[in-house]
Tab-separated table of all heavy atoms in Angstrom:
chain	number	residue	atom	x	y	z
A	1	MET	N	8.275	-1.624	-21.185
A	1	MET	CA	6.863	-1.810	-20.688
A	1	MET	C	7.011	-2.365	-19.235
A	1	MET	O	7.854	-3.188	-18.971
A	1	MET	CB	6.178	-2.834	-21.651
A	1	MET	CG	4.806	-3.242	-21.125
A	1	MET	SD	3.508	-2.011	-21.275
A	1	MET	CE	3.040	-1.943	-22.946
A	2	PHE	N	6.139	-1.897	-18.355
A	2	PHE	CA	6.104	-2.329	-16.978
A	2	PHE	C	4.734	-2.835	-16.664
A	2	PHE	O	3.743	-2.551	-17.263
A	2	PHE	CB	6.423	-1.088	-16.089
A	2	PHE	CG	7.761	-0.636	-16.137
A	2	PHE	CD1	8.168	0.384	-17.015
A	2	PHE	CD2	8.741	-1.177	-15.279
A	2	PHE	CE1	9.440	0.858	-17.059
A	2	PHE	CE2	10.060	-0.668	-15.337
A	2	PHE	CZ	10.479	0.298	-16.275
A	3	GLU	N	4.711	-3.656	-15.613
A	3	GLU	CA	3.458	-4.093	-15.050
A	3	GLU	C	3.407	-3.629	-13.651
A	3	GLU	O	4.460	-3.383	-13.000
A	3	GLU	CB	3.343	-5.641	-15.124
A	3	GLU	CG	4.361	-6.416	-14.343
A	3	GLU	CD	4.113	-7.954	-14.513
A	3	GLU	OE1	3.093	-8.440	-13.920
A	3	GLU	OE2	4.934	-8.559	-15.046
A	4	TYR	N	2.216	-3.399	-13.141
A	4	TYR	CA	2.057	-2.812	-11.786
A	4	TYR	C	1.223	-3.728	-10.928
A	4	TYR	O	0.345	-4.420	-11.380
A	4	TYR	CB	1.403	-1.420	-11.925
A	4	TYR	CG	2.326	-0.446	-12.588
A	4	TYR	CD1	2.295	-0.288	-14.020
A	4	TYR	CD2	3.216	0.285	-11.855
A	4	TYR	CE1	3.149	0.573	-14.617
A	4	TYR	CE2	4.102	1.221	-12.528
A	4	TYR	CZ	4.068	1.262	-13.907
A	4	TYR	OH	4.938	2.135	-14.517
A	5	LYS	N	1.484	-3.627	-9.601
A	5	LYS	CA	0.745	-4.375	-8.635
A	5	LYS	C	0.303	-3.370	-7.492
A	5	LYS	O	1.173	-2.568	-7.052
A	5	LYS	CB	1.652	-5.462	-8.067
A	5	LYS	CG	0.999	-6.385	-7.103
A	5	LYS	CD	1.929	-7.493	-6.714
A	5	LYS	CE	1.148	-8.529	-5.865
A	5	LYS	NZ	2.041	-9.699	-5.548
A	6	PHE	N	-0.881	-3.482	-7.102
A	6	PHE	CA	-1.462	-2.634	-6.095
A	6	PHE	C	-1.870	-3.431	-4.860
A	6	PHE	O	-2.671	-4.381	-4.985
A	6	PHE	CB	-2.658	-1.912	-6.594
A	6	PHE	CG	-2.348	-1.057	-7.844
A	6	PHE	CD1	-2.480	-1.634	-9.094
A	6	PHE	CD2	-1.989	0.248	-7.728
A	6	PHE	CE1	-2.225	-0.903	-10.230
A	6	PHE	CE2	-1.674	1.007	-8.905
A	6	PHE	CZ	-1.827	0.426	-10.154
A	7	VAL	N	-1.284	-3.097	-3.714
A	7	VAL	CA	-1.558	-3.898	-2.542
A	7	VAL	C	-2.272	-2.993	-1.488
A	7	VAL	O	-1.725	-1.943	-1.108
A	7	VAL	CB	-0.208	-4.435	-1.915
A	7	VAL	CG1	-0.433	-5.172	-0.599
A	7	VAL	CG2	0.524	-5.313	-2.895
A	8	GLN	N	-3.492	-3.384	-1.087
A	8	GLN	CA	-4.214	-2.631	-0.128
A	8	GLN	C	-3.904	-3.079	1.279
A	8	GLN	O	-3.852	-4.294	1.530
A	8	GLN	CB	-5.692	-2.752	-0.373
A	8	GLN	CG	-6.151	-2.090	-1.651
A	8	GLN	CD	-7.716	-2.118	-1.823
A	8	GLN	OE1	-8.425	-2.577	-0.912
A	8	GLN	NE2	-8.125	-1.658	-2.963
A	9	ILE	N	-3.749	-2.162	2.156
A	9	ILE	CA	-3.577	-2.373	3.577
A	9	ILE	C	-4.740	-1.722	4.358
A	9	ILE	O	-4.982	-0.519	4.239
A	9	ILE	CB	-2.257	-1.815	4.155
A	9	ILE	CG1	-1.119	-2.373	3.307
A	9	ILE	CG2	-2.100	-2.087	5.591
A	9	ILE	CD1	0.293	-1.763	3.712
A	10	LYS	N	-5.524	-2.526	5.036
A	10	LYS	CA	-6.644	-2.048	5.771
A	10	LYS	C	-6.069	-1.194	6.973
A	10	LYS	O	-4.981	-1.352	7.442
A	10	LYS	CB	-7.503	-3.172	6.313
A	10	LYS	CG	-8.182	-3.881	5.173
A	10	LYS	CD	-9.001	-4.993	5.690
A	10	LYS	CE	-9.679	-5.747	4.504
A	10	LYS	NZ	-10.502	-6.843	4.903
A	11	LYS	N	-6.928	-0.405	7.539
A	11	LYS	CA	-6.541	0.434	8.661
A	11	LYS	C	-7.233	-0.070	10.002
A	11	LYS	O	-8.297	-0.663	9.931
A	11	LYS	CB	-6.847	1.864	8.441
A	11	LYS	CG	-8.338	2.174	8.360
A	11	LYS	CD	-8.619	3.651	8.261
A	11	LYS	CE	-10.095	3.949	8.141
A	11	LYS	NZ	-10.806	3.665	9.340
A	12	LYS	N	-6.598	0.238	11.079
A	12	LYS	CA	-7.235	-0.016	12.437
A	12	LYS	C	-8.042	1.186	12.760
A	12	LYS	O	-7.663	2.303	12.569
A	12	LYS	CB	-6.145	-0.173	13.477
A	12	LYS	CG	-5.229	-1.396	13.266
A	12	LYS	CD	-4.259	-1.403	14.398
A	12	LYS	CE	-3.193	-2.441	14.177
A	12	LYS	NZ	-2.059	-2.445	15.215
A	13	ASN	N	-9.262	0.952	13.393
A	13	ASN	CA	-10.059	1.980	13.898
A	13	ASN	C	-9.660	2.228	15.355
A	13	ASN	O	-10.092	1.524	16.271
A	13	ASN	CB	-11.500	1.683	13.820
A	13	ASN	CG	-11.989	1.719	12.342
A	13	ASN	OD1	-11.538	2.526	11.559
A	13	ASN	ND2	-12.856	0.806	11.985
A	14	THR	N	-8.730	3.174	15.599
A	14	THR	CA	-8.289	3.428	16.943
A	14	THR	C	-8.532	4.939	17.269
A	14	THR	O	-7.576	5.616	17.702
A	14	THR	CB	-6.724	3.160	17.122
A	14	THR	OG1	-6.064	3.875	16.102
A	14	THR	CG2	-6.528	1.664	16.873
A	15	GLY	N	-9.734	5.405	17.049
A	15	GLY	CA	-9.993	6.834	17.260
A	15	GLY	C	-9.356	7.749	16.218
A	15	GLY	O	-9.528	7.480	15.081
A	16	PHE	N	-8.581	8.658	16.688
A	16	PHE	CA	-7.966	9.572	15.759
A	16	PHE	C	-6.680	8.970	15.098
A	16	PHE	O	-6.271	9.464	14.071
A	16	PHE	CB	-7.588	10.868	16.412
A	16	PHE	CG	-8.750	11.753	16.746
A	16	PHE	CD1	-9.268	11.850	18.032
A	16	PHE	CD2	-9.431	12.335	15.722
A	16	PHE	CE1	-10.340	12.605	18.331
A	16	PHE	CE2	-10.566	13.122	15.962
A	16	PHE	CZ	-11.004	13.286	17.301
A	17	LEU	N	-6.068	7.952	15.720
A	17	LEU	CA	-4.938	7.314	15.087
A	17	LEU	C	-5.488	6.324	14.041
A	17	LEU	O	-6.275	5.487	14.302
A	17	LEU	CB	-4.103	6.542	16.116
A	17	LEU	CG	-3.313	7.410	17.096
A	17	LEU	CD1	-2.651	6.477	18.124
A	17	LEU	CD2	-2.318	8.266	16.412
A	18	GLN	N	-5.020	6.498	12.828
A	18	GLN	CA	-5.420	5.647	11.662
A	18	GLN	C	-4.212	4.777	11.268
A	18	GLN	O	-3.508	5.186	10.356
A	18	GLN	CB	-5.969	6.490	10.502
A	18	GLN	CG	-7.171	7.342	10.886
A	18	GLN	CD	-8.312	6.505	11.266
A	18	GLN	OE1	-8.796	5.680	10.479
A	18	GLN	NE2	-8.887	6.711	12.443
A	19	LEU	N	-4.004	3.750	11.927
A	19	LEU	CA	-2.792	2.946	11.742
A	19	LEU	C	-3.063	1.764	10.811
A	19	LEU	O	-4.149	1.183	10.833
A	19	LEU	CB	-2.244	2.383	13.092
A	19	LEU	CG	-1.948	3.459	14.156
A	19	LEU	CD1	-1.686	2.814	15.504
A	19	LEU	CD2	-0.797	4.299	13.720
A	20	PRO	N	-2.064	1.347	10.032
A	20	PRO	CA	-2.257	0.164	9.188
A	20	PRO	C	-2.293	-1.126	9.945
A	20	PRO	O	-1.753	-1.222	11.047
A	20	PRO	CB	-1.002	0.240	8.270
A	20	PRO	CG	0.038	0.998	9.002
A	20	PRO	CD	-0.755	1.919	9.859
A	21	THR	N	-3.039	-2.133	9.443
A	21	THR	CA	-3.187	-3.387	10.150
A	21	THR	C	-1.993	-4.280	9.890
A	21	THR	O	-1.871	-5.285	10.563
A	21	THR	CB	-4.446	-4.117	9.714
A	21	THR	OG1	-4.489	-4.276	8.263
A	21	THR	CG2	-5.719	-3.321	10.104
A	22	GLU	N	-1.189	-3.990	8.884
A	22	GLU	CA	-0.093	-4.836	8.529
A	22	GLU	C	1.211	-3.974	8.502
A	22	GLU	O	1.180	-2.761	8.376
A	22	GLU	CB	-0.218	-5.452	7.124
A	22	GLU	CG	-1.440	-6.322	6.991
A	22	GLU	CD	-1.643	-6.781	5.581
A	22	GLU	OE1	-0.780	-7.507	5.113
A	22	GLU	OE2	-2.678	-6.427	4.991
A	23	ASN	N	2.330	-4.689	8.670
A	23	ASN	CA	3.657	-3.967	8.610
A	23	ASN	C	4.000	-3.715	7.116
A	23	ASN	O	4.372	-4.628	6.415
A	23	ASN	CB	4.691	-4.855	9.328
A	23	ASN	CG	6.003	-4.144	9.424
A	23	ASN	OD1	6.372	-3.342	8.567
A	23	ASN	ND2	6.797	-4.536	10.416
A	24	TYR	N	3.935	-2.479	6.740
A	24	TYR	CA	4.197	-2.139	5.315
A	24	TYR	C	5.685	-2.398	4.942
A	24	TYR	O	5.954	-2.688	3.821
A	24	TYR	CB	3.838	-0.666	5.050
A	24	TYR	CG	4.711	0.358	5.797
A	24	TYR	CD1	5.842	0.824	5.177
A	24	TYR	CD2	4.353	0.844	7.016
A	24	TYR	CE1	6.637	1.779	5.866
A	24	TYR	CE2	5.103	1.750	7.693
A	24	TYR	CZ	6.318	2.227	7.088
A	24	TYR	OH	7.100	3.103	7.751
A	25	GLN	N	6.524	-2.294	5.915
A	25	GLN	CA	8.003	-2.538	5.594
A	25	GLN	C	8.213	-4.062	5.168
A	25	GLN	O	8.946	-4.295	4.262
A	25	GLN	CB	8.885	-2.238	6.791
A	25	GLN	CG	8.871	-0.668	7.025
A	25	GLN	CD	9.675	-0.329	8.304
A	25	GLN	OE1	9.914	-1.215	9.133
A	25	GLN	NE2	10.031	0.892	8.466
A	26	GLU	N	7.527	-4.957	5.894
A	26	GLU	CA	7.650	-6.333	5.560
A	26	GLU	C	7.019	-6.631	4.181
A	26	GLU	O	7.574	-7.358	3.386
A	26	GLU	CB	6.895	-7.206	6.617
A	26	GLU	CG	7.659	-7.314	7.873
A	26	GLU	CD	6.905	-8.158	8.912
A	26	GLU	OE1	6.028	-8.919	8.558
A	26	GLU	OE2	7.290	-8.050	10.122
A	27	ILE	N	5.947	-6.011	3.868
A	27	ILE	CA	5.320	-6.131	2.568
A	27	ILE	C	6.243	-5.620	1.445
A	27	ILE	O	6.392	-6.294	0.461
A	27	ILE	CB	3.938	-5.410	2.487
A	27	ILE	CG1	2.917	-5.986	3.443
A	27	ILE	CG2	3.415	-5.366	1.065
A	27	ILE	CD1	1.678	-5.200	3.658
A	28	ILE	N	6.869	-4.565	1.662
A	28	ILE	CA	7.830	-3.986	0.687
A	28	ILE	C	9.029	-4.923	0.480
A	28	ILE	O	9.454	-5.245	-0.636
A	28	ILE	CB	8.272	-2.580	1.019
A	28	ILE	CG1	7.103	-1.618	0.965
A	28	ILE	CG2	9.497	-2.146	0.177
A	28	ILE	CD1	7.398	-0.255	1.512
A	29	HIS	N	9.586	-5.448	1.547
A	29	HIS	CA	10.717	-6.349	1.476
A	29	HIS	C	10.314	-7.645	0.745
A	29	HIS	O	11.092	-8.199	-0.047
A	29	HIS	CB	11.347	-6.673	2.914
A	29	HIS	CG	12.048	-5.616	3.500
A	29	HIS	ND1	13.221	-5.091	3.019
A	29	HIS	CD2	11.806	-4.797	4.549
A	29	HIS	CE1	13.704	-4.115	3.694
A	29	HIS	NE2	12.873	-3.920	4.685
A	30	THR	N	9.131	-8.153	1.074
A	30	THR	CA	8.674	-9.434	0.490
A	30	THR	C	8.539	-9.248	-1.084
A	30	THR	O	8.972	-10.075	-1.804
A	30	THR	CB	7.309	-9.829	1.035
A	30	THR	OG1	7.535	-10.135	2.449
A	30	THR	CG2	6.802	-11.125	0.418
A	31	HIS	N	7.929	-8.107	-1.456
A	31	HIS	CA	7.727	-7.903	-2.902
A	31	HIS	C	9.058	-7.627	-3.577
A	31	HIS	O	9.208	-7.980	-4.770
A	31	HIS	CB	6.708	-6.800	-3.077
A	31	HIS	CG	5.307	-7.200	-2.940
A	31	HIS	ND1	4.723	-7.381	-1.733
A	31	HIS	CD2	4.329	-7.473	-3.798
A	31	HIS	CE1	3.509	-7.819	-1.872
A	31	HIS	NE2	3.241	-7.903	-3.076
A	32	ALA	N	9.953	-6.947	-2.943
A	32	ALA	CA	11.261	-6.675	-3.533
A	32	ALA	C	11.991	-8.005	-3.785
A	32	ALA	O	12.683	-8.125	-4.790
A	32	ALA	CB	12.121	-5.841	-2.591
A	33	ALA	N	11.899	-8.932	-2.884
A	33	ALA	CA	12.533	-10.251	-3.043
A	33	ALA	C	11.952	-11.012	-4.234
A	33	ALA	O	12.607	-11.861	-4.828
A	33	ALA	CB	12.383	-11.081	-1.774
A	34	GLU	N	10.699	-10.630	-4.641
A	34	GLU	CA	10.068	-11.229	-5.801
A	34	GLU	C	10.252	-10.463	-7.059
A	34	GLU	O	9.661	-10.760	-8.087
A	34	GLU	CB	8.557	-11.324	-5.471
A	34	GLU	CG	8.196	-12.229	-4.375
A	34	GLU	CD	6.752	-12.183	-3.960
A	34	GLU	OE1	5.973	-11.463	-4.576
A	34	GLU	OE2	6.370	-12.901	-3.009
A	35	GLY	N	11.137	-9.442	-7.016
A	35	GLY	CA	11.413	-8.620	-8.226
A	35	GLY	C	10.614	-7.377	-8.400
A	35	GLY	O	10.801	-6.712	-9.413
A	36	TRP	N	9.785	-7.022	-7.542
A	36	TRP	CA	8.950	-5.855	-7.606
A	36	TRP	C	9.715	-4.664	-7.005
A	36	TRP	O	10.440	-4.804	-5.984
A	36	TRP	CB	7.639	-6.033	-6.856
A	36	TRP	CG	6.726	-6.991	-7.529
A	36	TRP	CD1	6.583	-8.313	-7.187
A	36	TRP	CD2	5.751	-6.739	-8.584
A	36	TRP	NE1	5.653	-8.892	-8.041
A	36	TRP	CE2	5.177	-7.944	-8.849
A	36	TRP	CE3	5.475	-5.600	-9.348
A	36	TRP	CZ2	4.144	-8.079	-9.853
A	36	TRP	CZ3	4.531	-5.750	-10.310
A	36	TRP	CH2	3.909	-6.931	-10.594
A	37	ARG	N	9.546	-3.486	-7.572
A	37	ARG	CA	10.129	-2.259	-7.089
A	37	ARG	C	8.996	-1.415	-6.436
A	37	ARG	O	7.965	-1.169	-7.134
A	37	ARG	CB	10.795	-1.515	-8.236
A	37	ARG	CG	11.468	-0.168	-7.778
A	37	ARG	CD	12.355	0.374	-8.866
A	37	ARG	NE	11.704	1.401	-9.775
A	37	ARG	CZ	11.230	2.574	-9.358
A	37	ARG	NH1	11.203	2.894	-8.156
A	37	ARG	NH2	10.734	3.409	-10.310
A	38	PHE	N	9.251	-0.977	-5.239
A	38	PHE	CA	8.262	-0.106	-4.564
A	38	PHE	C	8.280	1.272	-5.249
A	38	PHE	O	9.299	1.848	-5.485
A	38	PHE	CB	8.634	-0.001	-3.099
A	38	PHE	CG	7.741	1.041	-2.357
A	38	PHE	CD1	6.405	0.758	-2.165
A	38	PHE	CD2	8.294	2.249	-1.937
A	38	PHE	CE1	5.639	1.692	-1.454
A	38	PHE	CE2	7.503	3.164	-1.296
A	38	PHE	CZ	6.187	2.920	-1.068
A	39	VAL	N	7.033	1.774	-5.572
A	39	VAL	CA	6.912	3.038	-6.285
A	39	VAL	C	6.339	4.081	-5.408
A	39	VAL	O	6.876	5.188	-5.275
A	39	VAL	CB	6.020	2.871	-7.570
A	39	VAL	CG1	5.825	4.192	-8.237
A	39	VAL	CG2	6.611	1.822	-8.485
A	40	GLN	N	5.216	3.795	-4.736
A	40	GLN	CA	4.574	4.842	-3.951
A	40	GLN	C	3.622	4.248	-2.947
A	40	GLN	O	3.072	3.168	-3.088
A	40	GLN	CB	3.774	5.709	-4.956
A	40	GLN	CG	3.186	6.984	-4.274
A	40	GLN	CD	2.676	7.932	-5.244
A	40	GLN	OE1	2.843	7.846	-6.513
A	40	GLN	NE2	1.985	8.950	-4.784
A	41	PHE	N	3.324	5.035	-1.885
A	41	PHE	CA	2.397	4.707	-0.828
A	41	PHE	C	1.285	5.794	-0.931
A	41	PHE	O	1.564	6.933	-0.917
A	41	PHE	CB	3.146	4.839	0.495
A	41	PHE	CG	2.432	4.422	1.717
A	41	PHE	CD1	2.365	3.137	2.059
A	41	PHE	CD2	1.696	5.354	2.410
A	41	PHE	CE1	1.706	2.719	3.275
A	41	PHE	CE2	0.998	5.024	3.626
A	41	PHE	CZ	0.997	3.654	4.027
A	42	VAL	N	0.061	5.295	-1.115
A	42	VAL	CA	-1.090	6.193	-1.309
A	42	VAL	C	-2.078	6.049	-0.119
A	42	VAL	O	-2.375	4.898	0.199
A	42	VAL	CB	-1.761	5.964	-2.656
A	42	VAL	CG1	-2.971	6.890	-2.869
A	42	VAL	CG2	-0.779	6.115	-3.809
A	43	ILE	N	-2.589	7.150	0.360
A	43	ILE	CA	-3.615	7.093	1.391
A	43	ILE	C	-4.937	7.339	0.623
A	43	ILE	O	-5.110	8.425	0.043
A	43	ILE	CB	-3.384	8.165	2.469
A	43	ILE	CG1	-2.061	7.909	3.183
A	43	ILE	CG2	-4.597	8.185	3.473
A	43	ILE	CD1	-1.659	9.030	4.101
A	44	MET	N	-5.831	6.361	0.668
A	44	MET	CA	-7.100	6.468	-0.079
A	44	MET	C	-8.112	7.034	0.879
A	44	MET	O	-8.394	6.462	1.943
A	44	MET	CB	-7.532	5.072	-0.556
A	44	MET	CG	-6.506	4.453	-1.453
A	44	MET	SD	-6.009	5.388	-2.876
A	44	MET	CE	-7.492	5.369	-3.807
A	45	PRO	N	-8.681	8.184	0.545
A	45	PRO	CA	-9.627	8.888	1.469
A	45	PRO	C	-11.003	8.125	1.618
A	45	PRO	O	-11.449	7.452	0.669
A	45	PRO	CB	-9.843	10.234	0.837
A	45	PRO	CG	-9.471	10.083	-0.581
A	45	PRO	CD	-8.420	8.976	-0.671
A	46	SER	N	-11.540	8.257	2.741
A	46	SER	CA	-12.842	7.653	3.073
A	46	SER	C	-13.968	8.540	2.619
A	46	SER	O	-13.877	9.707	2.818
A	46	SER	CB	-12.984	7.371	4.535
A	46	SER	OG	-14.229	6.942	4.825
A	47	ALA	N	-14.990	7.945	2.002
A	47	ALA	CA	-16.173	8.736	1.593
A	47	ALA	C	-17.064	8.992	2.823
A	47	ALA	O	-17.801	9.944	2.787
A	47	ALA	CB	-16.980	7.962	0.533
A	48	GLN	N	-16.984	8.155	3.834
A	48	GLN	CA	-17.886	8.326	5.025
A	48	GLN	C	-17.265	9.262	6.063
A	48	GLN	O	-18.033	9.972	6.709
A	48	GLN	CB	-18.155	6.944	5.652
A	48	GLN	CG	-19.015	6.014	4.857
A	48	GLN	CD	-18.204	5.210	3.827
A	48	GLN	OE1	-17.018	5.081	3.941
A	48	GLN	NE2	-18.907	4.722	2.821
A	49	ALA	N	-15.992	9.227	6.270
A	49	ALA	CA	-15.335	10.027	7.309
A	49	ALA	C	-14.348	10.956	6.617
A	49	ALA	O	-13.155	10.546	6.411
A	49	ALA	CB	-14.731	9.141	8.372
A	50	VAL	N	-14.653	12.141	6.399
A	50	VAL	CA	-13.797	13.090	5.778
A	50	VAL	C	-12.541	13.287	6.611
A	50	VAL	O	-12.597	13.522	7.843
A	50	VAL	CB	-14.504	14.448	5.560
A	50	VAL	CG1	-13.563	15.503	4.937
A	50	VAL	CG2	-15.756	14.275	4.619
A	51	GLY	N	-11.425	13.216	5.990
A	51	GLY	CA	-10.112	13.431	6.738
A	51	GLY	C	-9.532	12.152	7.195
A	51	GLY	O	-8.398	12.147	7.723
A	52	PHE	N	-10.256	11.036	7.072
A	52	PHE	CA	-9.708	9.759	7.524
A	52	PHE	C	-9.529	8.812	6.326
A	52	PHE	O	-10.334	8.816	5.413
A	52	PHE	CB	-10.661	9.067	8.521
A	52	PHE	CG	-10.698	9.789	9.845
A	52	PHE	CD1	-11.727	10.729	10.096
A	52	PHE	CD2	-9.721	9.558	10.819
A	52	PHE	CE1	-11.747	11.393	11.356
A	52	PHE	CE2	-9.798	10.162	11.998
A	52	PHE	CZ	-10.767	11.127	12.329
A	53	PRO	N	-8.486	7.963	6.411
A	53	PRO	CA	-8.261	7.071	5.193
A	53	PRO	C	-9.217	5.921	5.256
A	53	PRO	O	-9.645	5.468	6.294
A	53	PRO	CB	-6.798	6.618	5.446
A	53	PRO	CG	-6.566	6.760	6.874
A	53	PRO	CD	-7.413	7.934	7.345
A	54	GLU	N	-9.579	5.462	4.077
A	54	GLU	CA	-10.360	4.194	3.890
A	54	GLU	C	-9.422	3.030	4.054
A	54	GLU	O	-9.710	2.074	4.685
A	54	GLU	CB	-11.038	4.229	2.536
A	54	GLU	CG	-11.876	2.995	2.263
A	54	GLU	CD	-13.179	2.994	2.998
A	54	GLU	OE1	-13.658	4.055	3.402
A	54	GLU	OE2	-13.779	1.897	3.204
A	55	TYR	N	-8.243	3.134	3.321
A	55	TYR	CA	-7.194	2.127	3.390
A	55	TYR	C	-5.927	2.766	2.845
A	55	TYR	O	-5.952	3.913	2.280
A	55	TYR	CB	-7.634	0.881	2.585
A	55	TYR	CG	-7.952	1.127	1.157
A	55	TYR	CD1	-6.981	1.126	0.189
A	55	TYR	CD2	-9.274	1.384	0.795
A	55	TYR	CE1	-7.291	1.288	-1.165
A	55	TYR	CE2	-9.560	1.581	-0.622
A	55	TYR	CZ	-8.561	1.563	-1.499
A	55	TYR	OH	-8.847	1.771	-2.852
A	56	TYR	N	-4.873	2.066	2.950
A	56	TYR	CA	-3.557	2.473	2.340
A	56	TYR	C	-3.268	1.592	1.164
A	56	TYR	O	-3.646	0.427	1.168
A	56	TYR	CB	-2.524	2.327	3.431
A	56	TYR	CG	-2.782	3.141	4.666
A	56	TYR	CD1	-3.285	2.470	5.784
A	56	TYR	CD2	-2.579	4.498	4.768
A	56	TYR	CE1	-3.623	3.168	6.931
A	56	TYR	CE2	-2.881	5.195	5.938
A	56	TYR	CZ	-3.429	4.551	6.973
A	56	TYR	OH	-3.697	5.219	8.098
A	57	GLU	N	-2.646	2.131	0.148
A	57	GLU	CA	-2.266	1.314	-1.019
A	57	GLU	C	-0.816	1.414	-1.332
A	57	GLU	O	-0.252	2.651	-1.403
A	57	GLU	CB	-3.109	1.737	-2.157
A	57	GLU	CG	-3.039	0.787	-3.348
A	57	GLU	CD	-4.221	1.009	-4.294
A	57	GLU	OE1	-4.119	2.035	-5.036
A	57	GLU	OE2	-5.160	0.241	-4.306
A	58	LEU	N	-0.134	0.311	-1.475
A	58	LEU	CA	1.254	0.297	-1.910
A	58	LEU	C	1.276	-0.010	-3.406
A	58	LEU	O	0.535	-0.912	-3.841
A	58	LEU	CB	2.043	-0.792	-1.127
A	58	LEU	CG	2.083	-0.679	0.376
A	58	LEU	CD1	2.826	-1.847	0.929
A	58	LEU	CD2	2.706	0.585	0.812
A	59	ILE	N	2.115	0.673	-4.203
A	59	ILE	CA	2.220	0.445	-5.598
A	59	ILE	C	3.574	-0.031	-5.942
A	59	ILE	O	4.574	0.551	-5.508
A	59	ILE	CB	1.901	1.728	-6.346
A	59	ILE	CG1	0.513	2.327	-5.991
A	59	ILE	CG2	1.975	1.535	-7.921
A	59	ILE	CD1	0.259	3.714	-6.541
A	60	PHE	N	3.621	-1.151	-6.644
A	60	PHE	CA	4.878	-1.754	-7.081
A	60	PHE	C	4.887	-1.851	-8.551
A	60	PHE	O	3.846	-1.962	-9.217
A	60	PHE	CB	4.987	-3.149	-6.456
A	60	PHE	CG	5.056	-3.234	-4.993
A	60	PHE	CD1	3.869	-3.339	-4.240
A	60	PHE	CD2	6.254	-3.154	-4.326
A	60	PHE	CE1	3.883	-3.395	-2.911
A	60	PHE	CE2	6.255	-3.182	-2.933
A	60	PHE	CZ	5.122	-3.355	-2.178
A	61	GLU	N	6.135	-1.966	-9.123
A	61	GLU	CA	6.279	-2.158	-10.593
A	61	GLU	C	7.464	-3.100	-10.867
A	61	GLU	O	8.345	-3.234	-9.988
A	61	GLU	CB	6.496	-0.823	-11.303
A	61	GLU	CG	7.883	-0.241	-11.141
A	61	GLU	CD	8.093	1.039	-12.004
A	61	GLU	OE1	7.188	1.506	-12.686
A	61	GLU	OE2	9.229	1.569	-11.934
A	62	LYS	N	7.399	-3.696	-12.037
A	62	LYS	CA	8.556	-4.442	-12.528
A	62	LYS	C	8.445	-4.557	-14.055
A	62	LYS	O	7.271	-4.368	-14.571
A	62	LYS	CB	8.630	-5.883	-11.872
A	62	LYS	CG	7.591	-6.831	-12.277
A	62	LYS	CD	7.864	-8.164	-11.631
A	62	LYS	CE	6.830	-9.210	-11.944
A	62	LYS	NZ	7.135	-10.513	-11.302
A	63	LYS	N	9.495	-4.815	-14.673
A	63	LYS	CA	9.486	-4.959	-16.123
A	63	LYS	C	8.608	-6.112	-16.528
A	63	LYS	O	8.710	-7.216	-15.978
A	63	LYS	CB	10.872	-5.126	-16.683
A	63	LYS	CG	11.725	-3.821	-16.609
A	63	LYS	CD	12.943	-3.969	-17.404
A	63	LYS	CE	13.640	-2.575	-17.384
A	63	LYS	NZ	14.841	-2.581	-18.241
A	64	ALA	N	7.789	-5.886	-17.535
A	64	ALA	CA	6.876	-6.954	-18.063
A	64	ALA	C	7.752	-7.946	-18.849
A	64	ALA	O	8.697	-7.599	-19.488
A	64	ALA	CB	5.827	-6.343	-18.930
A	65	GLU	N	7.342	-9.186	-18.657
A	65	GLU	CA	8.093	-10.301	-19.413
A	65	GLU	C	7.459	-10.629	-20.710
A	65	GLU	O	6.387	-10.451	-20.988
A	65	GLU	CB	8.172	-11.483	-18.560
A	65	GLU	CG	8.886	-11.222	-17.280
A	65	GLU	CD	8.985	-12.461	-16.319
A	65	GLU	OE1	8.697	-13.531	-16.728
A	65	GLU	OE2	9.334	-12.228	-15.133
């Protein structure tokens, strides 16, 4: 059995560049040090602006205790 953690990263509004507001590598390293395993990076689409992300989501897992 596993448990999952979902971490949302907001995006910067910089015109056509849709950059994350936080350093995703640091987030992954921090969670790995806490025993979480990085599973996937998901771009969540915006309902208002087609083709642009609403936010980014990192998915982590670890064995349930």
Side-chain angles (χ1 to χ4, degrees):
M1 176 69 80
F2 290 91
E3 62 180 293
Y4 293 89
K5 184 175 188 177
F6 302 88
V7 178
Q8 291 184 6
I9 302 174
K10 296 179 182 179
K11 65 173 180 70
K12 295 179 189 176
N13 290 323
T14 57
F16 287 106
L17 291 176
Q18 300 295 305
L19 303 172
T21 58
E22 299 176 62
N23 184 331
Y24 67 90
Q25 293 175 343
E26 288 180 16
I27 294 170
I28 292 171
H29 286 294
T30 299
H31 282 77
E34 297 172 358
W36 291 95
R37 181 171 92 64
F38 173 69
V39 177
Q40 188 167 352
F41 185 87
V42 180
I43 299 171
M44 303 304 291
S46 172
Q48 289 85 19
V50 177
F52 290 96
E54 179 75 22
Y55 57 90
Y56 305 98
E57 191 164 76
L58 301 177
I59 304 171
F60 297 91
E61 74 175 4
K62 71 177 178 179
K63 286 191 176 185
E65 297 179 14

